[in-house]
Each structure stands twice: as C-alpha cells, then as structure tokens.
Amino acid sequence: MEAIRLHAYGPAANLRLETVPDPVPGPGEARVAVHAAGVHFIETLLRRGQAVGPHPAPPLPVILGGEVAGVVESVGEGVPADLVGRRVVTSDVTSGGYASLAVAGAATLIALPGHVDYGAAVAMSTTGATTFGLLELAPLSASDVVLVTAAAGGIGTLLVQYARSAGARVVGAAGGPAKVRRAEELGADLAVDYRRPGWDKIVREAVGEVSVVFDGVGADLGRTAYELLGRGGRHVVFGSAAGEWFFPGEEEASARGVSVYDGIGYLLGRDGGMGDLCARALDALANGSLTPAVQPFPLAAAPAAHEALESRNTMGKVILVP
C-alpha cells in the first residue's frame, strides 16, 4: 500500500510517500480501504518530536494519523464477515491513518449512511466530537453572546453554526479576509479580522461584553479575547494556533468572576471517553444540523497539508485523500 511515513522528527518535508506492506488485521480487527484520513494540528507537533499532553512523541519510523473513513476491505479472526463492504468511520486506527489501508478494532467502527461524505464523516468523528465536548463545558442559550476565535477552522466553523442555532449572538474572529467571509457565511452576526489592530474595539462597540469565549488561537490574541468577557463569563480554551496556549491566572479570573476551562484536558480525562460525543456529532452530520468545512489534500501532499496547518492557511478540517 501507499503510506506517508516519518523517519526523522523535524519539518513537514520529512513526511515521505512510500510503498509499504499492507497492514494485517488481527483478532477483533478490520482493515479499511481509506477514502479520507484526518489530519490534526497536534500531529504537526508529534512530527517535530514533541509530546502532546500525556502522549509522548511516537517511536520512529511511524505512520501518523488516527482517524479514517472508508470501506471495510477485510476482517480478522472473530469479526463477522458481513462487515466487509460496509462504509465506516473510526478515530481509533492502530496502524496509522495517513495510508491507503488502515487497521482498527472492529468495535470502534461506526457505520455511515450512504448519503454521508467520507471527508465530512472524518471531520465530525473527532473534530465534531470535540466540539460537542466543549459545549458540555459551556452550554449555550439565546441569552449568550459568543466569541469564537479561529472561527474558520474545523472546530470554529462548527461552534459558530451551533451557537447560531442555539439563538446566541455570535462573533467570529478569523485571520484574513477569506476567513472572515467564511465566518459570515456560517451565520456569525459579526465577523472580524483578528490580524487587524483594534479588532477587539470593533467587537466591544458592536456587542458590548461577551459571555462565552471559545479560544482556538491562544497567545496574545487569546488574552485579547478573554478581556472581552463580562463578569460571570466562561472562557473555554481548545487550541494554540498562534504557538502558545493562553490561560489567565486563577486569581485574575476569580477576581473577574470568569470561569476558565481547559477543553482538551477535559476531553482527555472525560469519564466514558468520547464515543457518545462522536455519535452525537455524526447524528448532527446525518440530519444536516451541522455541516463541517473540509479542506482536502492528496495523500502525497501530506507535507503541504502540515505546512498549511502550521501557517494557519486552512479553512475547516484538513483531510488526506489516497
């Protein structure tokens, strides 16, 4: 099969397209012919040899990626043969997802309706599940004024849509005119370019204080977004696209009456895992209530996909297509 392998930690150029032996499904496993493989920002960190939370840098050589959608091609011992030919998605690949074939536990496979796009399914299986997890930390209502940074990203696009459907007033902050237009198309009441000085003043003049911030950028921009919160506000952190996480100090947040949540930490330690969140996300996709943005790259262009993520030149969920 074809796969993207990493032999040395470092730049995106270290990701190489190679022909490698097909993975063999063991007992309780299935092999999937991959139609779409998800790419996460954290995989750019793993590629550099950095640990991500409790996850150490992977031993080399490695095929990165843990989520794929496609068609079951073969099964291992103890797995019903009628699973072959089924359209599925999984976020628990054990052999690496940046490949034309991937192995996962049969119990982790989720069936996909015929009308659901493979790329969209990959986007919702983890990115969508993460979104619903963040919303557990900060449930939304029509009385909220919600600010989403990285509003044109994979999670950001879903948060904007959900907040709009909840009746909240929504501010989408994104980098560059194209991303601002995307936030507007998603239904943001106000969309601002956070690369322009004074964007926070525009927000304050238009909506006053906000009650919820979902921050996927961090660094100074995360601080600026936090400063827009009113007393009793909720600040939910889910990313550090600017290269540095932003969390206010406990005393500072307490003095302002602001609740601060580490979204990724919550999800990593969530009782029961994320299976139910994934199911909710895929249901939202199937019934049309949420539509993920997907940016596809050919499998061979995995280095370009990583570079685009690192330079923040993507809109929506990045996927690789074998």
Side-chain angles (χ1 to χ4, degrees):
M1 71 169 184
E2 287 191 326
I4 298 291
R5 286 216 293 178
L6 180 71
H7 291 268
Y9 301 128
N14 287 4
L15 296 168
R16 300 197 315 223
L17 180 68
E18 300 178 354
T19 300
V20 300
D22 294 350
V24 178
E29 294 182 328
R31 186 166 70 193
V32 177
V34 178
H35 287 241
V39 181
H40 282 273
F41 184 80
I42 63 171
E43 289 158 9
T44 69
L45 305 179
L46 296 173
R47 188 204 71 226
R48 296 180 219 157
Q50 298 180 23
V52 177
H55 304 292
L60 300 175
V62 65
I63 300 171
L64 296 172
E67 55 187 18
V68 302
V71 178
V72 177
E73 184 244 22
S74 62
V75 296
E77 181 183 347
V79 180
D82 62 3
L83 196 61
V84 174
R86 301 278 184 90
R87 305 173 82 249
V88 298
V89 64
T90 178
S91 57
D92 291 288
V93 170
T94 58
S95 61
Y98 295 10
S100 55
L101 294 171
V103 166
T108 72
L109 303 180
I110 300 173
L112 294 178
H115 70 282
V116 171
D117 175 78
Y118 289 114
V122 165
M124 293 302 277
S125 66
T126 299
T127 301
T130 299
T131 300
F132 277 98
L134 299 176
L135 290 164
E136 286 185 334
L137 294 173
L140 302 180
S141 71
S143 63
D144 281 309
V145 179
V146 180
L147 169 61
V148 180
T149 70
I155 294 172
T157 57
L158 296 174
L159 287 169
V160 170
Q161 291 177 66
Y162 185 94
R164 194 80 178 97
S165 69
R169 195 169 184 188
V170 187
V171 179
K179 292 185 178 182
V180 170
R181 286 193 298 272
R182 179 60 181 151
E184 291 172 338
E185 293 166 357
L186 291 166
D189 298 283
L190 174 67
V192 294
D193 187 344
Y194 57 54
R195 294 181 179 176
R196 300 184 63 178
W199 69 268
D200 54 320
K201 295 179 181 177
I202 295 173
V203 174
R204 194 174 294 280
E205 290 173 0
V207 302
E209 295 178 328
V210 302
S211 59
V212 181
V213 167
F214 291 104
D215 177 35
V217 178
D220 290 342
L221 191 138
R223 157 67 68 179
T224 302
Y226 165 77
E227 294 291 349
L228 288 166
L229 281 166
R231 188 163 191 83
R234 295 163 286 170
H235 186 83
V236 183
V237 178
F238 67 89
S240 58
E244 181 182 341
W245 297 89
F246 168 74
F247 288 96
E250 290 185 13
E251 290 187 8
E252 175 188 3
S254 177
R256 293 185 57 199
V258 171
S259 300
V260 179
Y261 302 97
D262 176 357
I264 302 305
Y266 167 73
L267 290 167
L268 289 173
R270 184 177 182 268
D271 290 343
M274 293 179 62
D276 61 318
L277 298 176
C278 181
R280 289 175 61 191
L282 290 169
D283 284 345
L285 172 63
N287 66 33
S289 59
L290 289 178
T291 302
V294 176
Q295 185 166 342
F297 289 80
L299 179 64
H306 272 227
E307 289 172 350
L309 273 172
E310 290 173 302
S311 62
R312 296 157 65 181
N313 286 325
T314 61
M315 284 198 285
K317 173 69 175 181
V318 173
I319 64 166
L320 300 177
V321 182

